Amino acid sequence: MKQACLKAIAAVLLIGLGGCVTVDVPEGIFFYPDSRVRAEKIDLPSAPPPAGSQTLSLSYDCGTIGATRVRATAAPRPLILFCGGNLFRRSSGGGAVADELSPFGDVLMFDYPGYGDTDGKANFAGFEAVGRVIAREARAQADAEGRPLIAWGHSLGGIVCSAIAKEVDADALILETTTPSARAAIDEMVGLARPLVRVNMAPALAAVDVPGSLEGYQGRIVVLEAGKDDTLPPALSRRLAHELRAKGHDVQTLVFPRAGHNDVGQQPDFAARVAAALTPR
């Protein structure tokens, strides 16, 4: 998630803490579709997936889905379905994702509604609708090629991937610097002042519940925690892992003490430790 966005929410929540304050948090507060990127004059780099990547032709009820598969390994190496954070689109983040994840297998990435080449509006319903189409396509490709399917969600993408991992029976789920719920993230921002703040969250935002989404999921879960994450602090990764274990899930946590929210994949021990965590047992 974008750090400036979360800081703005925290500032609003802290206004008026001399007494009790009520704050309304709309669903779209965390989303950065192209329209918002333009309005806020956010400069995104040009870093698309590598040359030779395959552009997929997919659609859903609201139109076209922008998706790319990076072919890097032969079966039986995994196919990794990547769900990006709230600023991710293939045109600006596809290259980095390919660099970080292709050592583990092929990578399938996509744009959210209102982002890049995907039609539609940016909301959780649209994100999940697109995610389901992509997930079914990923499962079909993985099965046809004899590959395991790994769902990998970064930040906001952890919420999206968790909503679809059980549906397509992903063999493993990676949750990188994410949160168990939107409410948990807000609680963490407000801290000790939380009893003085009444937060009215939009229904779709309040419904975000990663452990709940994974009820009945049988695959392995790996939580990647960044020790210097000042966007979604490491306490949220720890809380997520705790809540998942309490529901009986097979959870392994990898802590990267020097990593921030967006650079876990750049840590010197990242590749070796993740590869070990993904090795079939």
Side-chain angles (χ1 to χ4, degrees), residues 96-123:
V97 169
D99 288 345
E100 292 173 9
L101 303 193
S102 58
F104 311 118
D106 280 19
V107 183
L108 179 57
M109 65 186 79
F110 62 100
D111 296 335
Y112 294 128
Y115 289 58
D117 295 324
T118 296
D119 297 327
K121 295 182 178 180
N123 54 44

Side-chain angles (χ1 to χ4, degrees), residues 263-274:
D263 64 359
V264 168
Q266 298 168 32
Q267 301 307 298
D269 56 346
F270 167 77
R273 294 178 67 195
V274 172

Side-chain angles (χ1 to χ4, degrees), residues 19-246:
C20 189
V21 61
T22 298
V23 177
D24 294 324
V25 182
E27 178 181 356
I29 192 71
F30 295 117
F31 302 144
Y32 278 82
D34 292 350
S35 57
R36 184 173 179 180
V37 167
R38 289 192 296 269
E40 297 188 12
K41 296 181 172 58
I42 298 171
D43 186 21
L44 296 176
S46 176
S53 298
Q54 176 188 4
T55 300
L56 305 183
S57 179
L58 299 172
S59 62
Y60 75 125
D61 288 348
C62 294
T64 298
I65 299 173
T68 298
R69 178 167 172 177
V70 180
R71 294 185 178 272
T73 62
R77 296 296 297 280
L79 174 61
I80 301 169
L81 169 60
F82 178 76
C83 304
N86 67 345
L87 266 175
F88 177 80
R89 54 265 288 150
R90 295 168 302 143
S91 61
S92 60
V97 169
D99 288 345
E100 292 173 9
L101 303 193
S102 58
F104 311 118
D106 280 19
V107 183
L108 179 57
M109 65 186 79
F110 62 100
D111 296 335
Y112 294 128
Y115 289 58
D117 295 324
T118 296
D119 297 327
K121 295 182 178 180
N123 54 44
F124 278 113
F127 279 38
E128 289 190 17
V130 168
R132 288 191 180 97
V133 172
I134 291 289
R136 288 194 291 266
E137 177 66 21
R139 179 79 269 176
Q141 290 190 18
D143 288 348
E145 298 171 21
R147 296 176 182 264
L149 176 62
I150 297 172
W152 189 310
H154 171 245
S155 192
L156 176 67
I159 297 168
V160 178
C161 267
S162 294
I164 57 180
K166 182 177 71 172
E167 183 176 329
V168 296
D169 194 24
D171 298 277
L173 171 64
I174 312 294
L175 296 173
E176 179 184 352
T177 60
T178 190
T179 178
S181 65
R183 188 166 296 280
I186 289 176
D187 286 349
E188 185 68 24
M189 282 182 279
V190 178
L192 295 177
R194 184 65 182 88
L196 300 175
V197 181
R198 181 180 296 108
V199 179
N200 294 328
M201 302 176 68
L205 200 58
V208 171
D209 177 8
V210 169
S213 296
L214 291 168
E215 284 281 359
Y217 175 66
Q218 299 298 312
R220 286 183 293 153
I221 301 174
V222 181
V223 173
L224 306 184
E225 175 187 324
K228 294 185 177 180
D229 193 338
D230 56 5
T231 299
L232 292 176
L236 291 170
S237 290
R238 293 194 290 271
R239 177 171 169 178
L240 173 61
H242 174 78
E243 292 182 11
L244 289 169
R245 290 190 183 102

